[in-house]
Amino acid sequence: MISMQELKDLKLNELTEAGQGWGDVSKRAYNSRQEVDNKVVPRLTDVTKGMSTLAAAFRLGRLSRNYQYIHTECGLLQFALNGLAQEMAVPQRKLVNALADAQQLGFTVHPDGSVSYPAASREGAEQKAQGDTVKGSSGFFAGALTDAAALVNPNPNAAKAQDIADTIGDALAEARRIDGEYANAIRRLKAEQGLDVTENTWADVQKDSQAVHGAADDVFKDDIPTGKSPAERKAWWDGLSEEDKIAYMAAYPDTIGNLDGIPAVARDEANRNYMPQLMGQLSERGGEDAQTKLAGLRKIDEQLRAGGQPPMYLLGIGDQGNGRAIVAYGNPDTSRNVSAYVPGLSTKLDEEFAGGTLKRARDTAIGAQEIDPSSASIVWLGYDAPLSVDVMTENDAANGAPAYQSFMGGLAATNAHADPHITAIGHSYGSLTVGTASQQPGGMPDVDDYILLGSPGVGVDRAEDLGVGKQHVFVGAAENDIVTKLPSGGSVVGGVIGGATGFAFGGPGGALLGAGIGADLGDPGDDDVWFGKDPASEDFGATRFRTEDGPNAFTNFTLEAHSNYFDPKKDQMSADSIANIVAGNPGGITPEARR
């Protein structure tokens, strides 16, 4: 335990200087990793090919991971030592002030914190009361002892001495608590001999982070403006020094990487720091859910390491709910045109998401860049999409809408252009999430255009209710996409009966088909769908663009027509129209008559 003399003599500036030293190591490791990833490996693969090049690239990848590990662990050490210095300043100041009070009163403070006071008498007393020595207490009993001394002891110094002893006791108790918390955290920050950074290593790093956060969060994490607007967060980030930015990305990568208003490059770097920690944690946790998310993250990690064009930016990851992943193709901060696509039914963080769903955003980015190179496209899985027939409720959209609204505000806050062109894209149930976000308090004033694909309704009955002119709302609805007709006319009885029958024979997909068929039979020709007016209808008033019909849902018993909108190989007309809208060229779409 820390003694009174040790607390008094503690040189806090030395702790801060040591923290800065570890911060310098963290920064050098960060810069070295950037050098390996962005310069050495690309030059190597550009100049030579073959197995020897592949082997060298593999070893450089290991070096990069080692640098990343050093950056993270040393960054945690920096935060721990700086936090220790800041927190220890409080009890040290309390102790120093108490010692000064004792000296001024002529009291003697002993090494164990006890206080001796001299003989003295109260005013009007005939003789002096003897002096004595008192020991301090902390917490509730401290004030009680001082009050008791004042009441029963005729020596007026008794209460003063007890108060000083209690203050010293409080200071020592607080210092020992702080010292214990930080000592436990710092002891964890130790690498094994023969460093080989694996998922198990990163699982240990995650525990290291939690230990440091448990000690230092009340000093540093409160400074992160999590409760502020995206614009305020951007201002906070811009006001940090480069060293502080690197330190925050090392110590709080999950928070910085998922904070709307932090620039894309910083979010990407923070999430790349956090990804191996999250993967290690999932690997250690085990179970089907963890393994599903881990498989998705591994596939995303493979794509990030492979590089390619347009470049990927990892703007968010997490294991909450069904998993979180936000991925951009092209830099959304430097691009004049930016779209953010919300996927729908059955989407979760798994291998299918990392393969098929990400490809949709990539196809959109490639198509938009052919029209205007200053374009980027994002897939936003920042909410729990419904996984089966619970698509029939609005709860998931309502829960996800505020997060999407915040994200879109963040895109505008960090974009380098004075008036960027921002497009909100919702596919399937994701269109309801987008529509619900537009109805949140304050709306989404930074969104210029909406694209609704395979939509079962968006929660409003007119295009202009989304907060833009109806000419800025575009709809893709394939003729054979049963989801866009589910149920046509809102025949609940027919839809439920048909859905139950379809589910019995074909699972969730059969339920959707059966519900659509039953609803059509119940009320043919009506233009209401499950979540409001059919976005492809005349009454809704949006601009509809042409799509391929896709396979007939009734004869082929398939939902394939619901999934082809983004794919230039399966639906070139739709993919081209999406790309033109995203690139700010709506005149390039192929129009289609409304229903």
Side-chain angles (χ1 to χ4, degrees):
M1 292 193 302
I2 188 169
S3 69
M4 184 183 71
Q5 192 64 40
E6 287 171 333
L7 177 60
K8 177 177 178 290
D9 295 340
L10 184 62
K11 294 180 172 57
L12 300 178
N13 64 308
E14 291 184 356
L15 288 174
T16 303
E17 289 171 2
Q20 184 59 54
W22 286 109
D24 290 342
V25 175
S26 177
K27 181 181 178 181
R28 287 199 295 273
Y30 173 87
N31 291 333
S32 296
R33 183 188 175 213
Q34 296 287 313
E35 188 81 13
V36 170
D37 290 349
N38 299 331
K39 295 182 180 180
V40 178
V41 173
R43 288 175 184 170
L44 174 69
T45 53
D46 285 345
V47 172
T48 61
K49 306 293 180 183
M51 294 304 295
S52 60
T53 301
L54 184 63
F58 176 80
R59 287 194 293 272
L60 286 168
R62 178 177 175 178
L63 177 63
S64 173
R65 289 191 297 274
N66 288 350
Y67 279 136
Q68 183 179 2
Y69 178 83
I70 294 167
H71 162 56
T72 301
E73 292 284 277
C74 292
L76 290 171
L77 266 170
Q78 177 186 9
F79 266 81
L81 291 170
N82 287 345
L84 178 60
Q86 288 194 36
E87 291 205 51
M88 277 295 196
V90 176
Q92 186 186 59
R93 190 179 309 114
K94 191 182 296 185
L95 172 65
V96 170
N97 290 340
L99 293 176
D101 290 343
Q103 183 178 22
Q104 184 177 6
L105 292 168
F107 297 171
T108 301
V109 179
H110 304 284
D112 64 354
S114 60
V115 179
S116 295
Y117 58 91
S121 61
R122 296 186 184 279
E123 186 176 350
E126 295 181 2
Q127 59 183 10
K128 287 186 177 182
Q130 292 183 346
D132 200 356
T133 299
V134 294
K135 290 187 176 182
S137 182
S138 60
F140 171 79
F141 293 104
L145 286 175
T146 302
D147 293 341
L151 288 172
V152 304
N153 197 315
N155 189 330
N157 288 326
K160 298 175 185 177
Q162 187 65 60
D163 185 52
I164 291 172
D166 289 344
T167 300
I168 292 172
D170 267 337
L172 287 172
E174 186 177 357
R176 286 164 181 166
R177 177 189 61 78
I178 293 169
D179 182 57
E181 286 182 359
Y182 279 92
N184 290 334
I186 292 172
R187 285 191 194 102
R188 289 197 56 86
L189 303 176
K190 179 181 179 182
E192 297 296 330
Q193 292 293 325
L195 176 63
D196 184 14
V197 179
T198 65
E199 283 186 357
N200 289 335
T201 307
W202 284 111
D204 190 62
V205 172
Q206 177 70 11
K207 295 173 183 175
D208 295 347
S209 297
Q210 291 171 354
V212 172
H213 292 174
D217 273 2
D218 56 347
V219 178
F220 295 107
K221 196 170 186 179
D222 287 348
D223 291 339
I224 303 176
T226 52
K228 302 292 186 179
S229 69
E232 290 171 314
R233 295 166 184 166
K234 171 68 162 50
W236 169 77
W237 184 259
D238 289 346
L240 295 176
S241 67
E242 197 62 29
E243 290 75 13
D244 285 345
K245 290 176 181 177
I246 293 172
Y248 270 108
M249 287 190 290
Y252 297 99
D254 53 333
T255 302
I256 299 300
N258 289 280
L259 199 60
D260 301 325
I262 301 299
V265 171
R267 287 182 73 161
D268 175 67
E269 184 61 36
N271 283 312
R272 290 183 192 232
N273 283 347
Y274 179 52
M275 178 176 277
Q277 296 183 43
L278 181 57
M279 290 168 65
Q281 183 181 359
L282 291 170
S283 178
E284 188 176 68
R285 183 188 306 167
E288 183 178 352
D289 177 69
Q291 292 306 306
T292 297
K293 294 170 181 173
L294 179 58
L297 288 173
R298 282 174 174 163
K299 201 167 186 68
I300 293 174
D301 188 48
E302 288 174 9
Q303 296 177 43
L304 289 167
R305 294 184 184 281
Q309 294 296 324
M312 291 175 67
Y313 293 84
L314 190 59
L315 304 183
I317 51 171
D319 65 340
Q320 55 267 55
N322 298 323
R324 302 287 185 265
I326 306 171
V327 179
Y329 290 90
N331 189 331
D333 289 348
T334 59
S335 298
R336 182 167 42 250
N337 307 295
V338 184
S339 69
Y341 143 56
V342 182
L345 175 66
S346 297
T347 307
K348 59 182 178 179
L349 179 56
D350 58 8
E351 285 189 283
E352 182 179 348
F353 171 83
T357 308
L358 289 189
K359 182 180 180 299
R360 293 173 180 175
R362 185 173 185 271
D363 285 342
T364 298
I366 291 172
Q369 288 180 1
E370 290 176 355
I371 301 162
D372 184 346
S374 185
S375 299
S377 184
I378 301 165
V379 57
W380 184 86
L381 184 61
Y383 81 124
D384 282 333
L387 298 182
S388 59
V389 291
D390 62 349
V391 70
M392 302 304 178
T393 74
E394 300 181 14
N395 294 341
D396 291 322
N399 291 333
Y404 184 69
Q405 179 195 39
S406 173
F407 181 76
M408 299 304 273
L411 290 180
T414 59
N415 194 279
H417 297 270
D419 186 21
H421 173 242
I422 297 178
T423 303
I425 304 177
H427 174 238
S428 185
Y429 187 91
S431 65
L432 176 63
T433 304
V434 168
T436 306
S438 75
Q439 303 304 298
Q440 298 298 297
M444 294 197 291
D446 300 304
V447 173
D448 300 288
D449 292 311
Y450 287 83
I451 303 177
L452 312 173
L453 304 166
S455 175
V458 296
V460 299
D461 289 335
R462 299 180 304 168
E464 54 264 38
D465 291 341
L466 294 173
V468 295
K470 62 182 181 179
Q471 70 275 18
H472 292 285
V473 181
F474 302 87
V475 175
E479 183 59 30
N480 289 325
D481 182 356
I482 192 66
V483 174
T484 69
K485 304 175 180 180
L486 184 63
S488 177
S491 175
V492 176
V493 175
V496 169
I497 293 173
T501 303
F503 186 81
F505 288 99
L512 291 176
L513 289 174
I517 294 169
D520 271 335
L521 293 175
D523 191 2
D526 199 301
D527 59 4
D528 286 336
V529 286
W530 278 106
F531 300 117
K533 194 68 66 180
D534 176 7
S537 69
E538 187 69 36
D539 283 349
F540 191 81
T543 300
R544 185 183 180 191
F545 54 83
R546 189 172 300 173
T547 67
E548 295 288 348
D549 289 347
N552 188 289
F554 301 110
T555 59
N556 296 294
F557 210 69
T558 177
L559 294 177
E560 186 178 340
H562 185 58
S563 304
N564 293 343
Y565 296 102
F566 297 91
D567 193 331
K569 292 183 178 179
K570 294 183 178 180
D571 194 342
Q572 185 71 60
M573 287 187 297
S574 176
D576 284 350
S577 290
I578 294 170
N580 272 283
I581 297 164
V582 169
N585 182 42
I589 71 170
T590 303
E592 174 73 282
R594 303 185 188 111
R595 291 173 177 167

